[in-house]
Amino acid sequence: MTITTQALFETEAAVARNGVGKPGLLHPVRVTGLGVAVPPARLTNADLEQMVDTSDEWIVTRTGIRERRIAAPEVATSDLALAAARAAIADAGIPVSEIDLLIVATITPDHLFPATACLVQAGLGLPGIPAFDLSAGCSGLAYALDQAWHGLAAGAYRNALVIGADTLSRIVDFSDRRTAVLFGDGAAALVLHRGEPGEDAGILASHLGADGRGGSLLILPAGGSRKPASHATVAAREHFLRMNGQEVFKFAVRILEESTRQVLAKAGYSPADLDLFVPHQANIRIIEAARERLGLPPERVVVNVDRFGNTSAASIGLALAEARERGRLRPGALVALTGFGTGLTWGSILLRWTKTENDGGQK
Ligand code: ACO
């Protein structure tokens, strides 16, 4: 596997600009484990036709979604996160005890507190290591990967477990056709490993951003300190997410292109260099529009929104894992993961795929 000196230089410069250590002390960081967990139950468009005034034709044409997975009532976000975590650690081939940092990106934590990451930590039997949740909506996994990457690159940790997990079905109003058809449940986990200086780098660059002025475009109105749960909030259905779909759509198309271009430029690349684009899976029309703007052929873009819908923080990880299962992640491939979501937030991670064990041939 080769990586250009220019790319390394740009990456080191970017990390240095972000205030993490000196370039000379930078450790390369790569993905060594990947695992997912999705509930077995499928909610199809035909099922939704029985629940709200919608049609399979409308949903497929406007969103590309055909079915999504829904967690059983007794299953919470931490359960999916834990299952994905175990799969990722097994995939990395290391003992659980080697993990020394745990981040869970989620907007549907089991509780407001304690953090879902602490519940996962207890489930793994890993007391002592730092564990925290990160709230950045569907950009959550990119944000968490960025944070873990910087911690590892600076030498503070050796193996980080980064999880994106959400059970959005718990905050979707299944009587509102505008949102009921869009979301599903799932979890994806990655193990990041700190290598020694001089070794090949996996993660090359990141690009994160937020614009809080768009906070009301996608919001869970009640249940926090602004509007605690009350009879009135329940009666007003304010414990279900609200979204201005059209505005989020416009933002999404623009930012998917822009953030992807930015992360590529940070490492000295352009869209034509990308082997695989793994965008947040919210709507096939958003993905298609971004793909065209980036000038990428369809075979370089991962799409699984048809089978999982929008799984929020899990989305990019689920898509990456599926690409690997299907043998689309050859060693050395240049891969961009790009998310956007509530906040508004956006985030991209650029990496060279370095893992080879368990890659491809599983399906
Ligand atoms: N079935 C049938 N008709 C519907 C449905 C439905 N499920 N939903 C909406 N409609 C109707 C509307 O009522 C409207 O009817 P009207 O013209 O009579 O008023 C018509 O369809 C068109 O509605 P629009 O909202 O204009 O439809 P649009 O083409 O914009 O598609 C959608 C809506 C799918 C929500 C789209 O705007 C979208 O995907 N937006 C982005 C959403 C997104 O990415 N969210 C994730 C953010 S990530 C995170 O952090 C969780």
Side-chain angles (χ1 to χ4, degrees):
M1 198 207 80
T2 54
I3 168 170
T4 65
T5 316
Q6 173 69 10
L8 270 178
F9 173 77
E10 292 287 343
T11 308
E12 291 187 359
V15 172
R17 273 200 303 279
N18 287 340
V20 180
K22 294 181 200 150
L25 296 178
L26 186 73
H27 291 266
V29 175
R30 56 184 191 270
V31 177
T32 53
L34 183 56
V36 299
V38 289
R42 292 174 159 84
L43 181 69
T44 65
N45 291 351
D47 297 328
L48 282 160
E49 284 176 348
Q50 309 302 313
M51 298 161 70
V52 285
D53 180 15
T54 191
S55 66
D56 175 59
E57 197 269 335
W58 191 97
I59 303 170
V60 171
T61 316
R62 298 291 184 113
T63 72
I65 302 169
R66 294 182 183 277
E67 62 180 37
R68 55 303 275 148
R69 302 298 182 92
I70 304 293
E74 69 278 10
V75 172
T77 297
S78 70
D79 299 313
L80 294 175
L82 183 57
R86 288 196 170 117
I89 295 168
D91 185 44
I94 57 171
V96 175
S97 57
E98 295 280 307
I99 301 291
D100 54 6
L101 173 67
L102 199 171
I103 309 176
V104 175
T106 186
I107 53 169
T108 47
D110 287 28
H111 315 283
L112 271 179
F113 59 87
T116 299
C118 292
L119 304 177
V120 173
Q121 187 207 45
L124 288 172
L126 262 179
I129 67 161
F132 62 94
D133 286 1
L134 191 156
S135 174
C138 308
S139 315
L141 192 60
Y143 264 65
L145 287 169
D146 170 271
Q147 294 300 293
W149 173 43
H150 285 101
L152 293 163
Y157 306 102
R158 184 113 183 115
N159 292 292
L161 178 61
V162 176
I163 308 170
D166 269 309
T167 45
L168 284 190
S169 65
R170 296 292 148 74
I171 55 166
V172 164
D173 184 348
F174 282 104
S175 68
D176 174 8
R177 70 177 183 175
R178 291 168 301 169
T179 49
V181 304
L182 302 175
F183 301 100
D185 302 333
L190 291 89
V191 174
L192 299 188
H193 175 73
R194 182 188 87 205
E196 296 307 320
E199 289 178 10
D200 286 339
I203 298 184
L204 303 176
S206 68
H207 174 259
L208 305 183
D211 187 348
R213 293 172 300 178
S216 61
L217 295 178
L218 180 47
I219 189 168
L220 187 64
S225 60
R226 176 72 59 194
K227 250 190 198 187
S230 67
H231 289 294
T233 60
V234 172
R237 308 187 79 75
E238 289 181 325
H239 295 277
F240 295 120
L241 66 84
R242 302 239 174 111
M243 182 175 71
N244 181 332
Q246 290 184 355
E247 286 305 314
V248 174
F249 192 101
K250 283 186 246 167
F251 153 75
V253 170
R254 182 176 58 77
I255 210 67
L256 260 189
E257 180 197 7
E258 197 175 311
S259 184
T260 306
R261 283 191 188 278
Q262 294 270 353
V263 82
L264 283 160
K266 272 188 166 186
Y269 293 108
S270 68
D273 298 312
L274 259 189
D275 293 302
L276 209 59
F277 178 42
V278 188
H280 172 43
Q281 307 285 312
N283 184 322
I284 189 66
R285 289 188 294 139
I286 295 173
I287 296 172
E288 271 299 301
R291 181 186 72 71
E292 280 176 20
R293 283 164 170 240
L294 288 165
L296 296 171
E299 62 272 18
R300 292 207 203 152
V301 182
V302 181
V303 175
N304 69 1
V305 68
D306 51 322
R307 280 155 295 122
F308 297 100
N310 180 347
T311 56
S312 190
S315 158
I316 290 172
L318 288 182
L320 183 69
E322 184 171 292
R324 182 176 77 156
E325 274 186 7
R326 297 188 171 186
R328 296 178 69 187
L329 272 176
R330 61 172 177 73
L334 187 65
V335 182
L337 317 174
T338 305
F340 60 87
T342 180
L344 299 166
T345 56
W346 55 92
S348 293
I349 300 289
L350 185 70
L351 56 88
R352 284 260 174 222
W353 189 250
T354 50
K355 186 168 168 57
T356 50
E357 277 172 52
N358 301 330
D359 288 359
Q362 294 180 349
K363 258 191 186 171

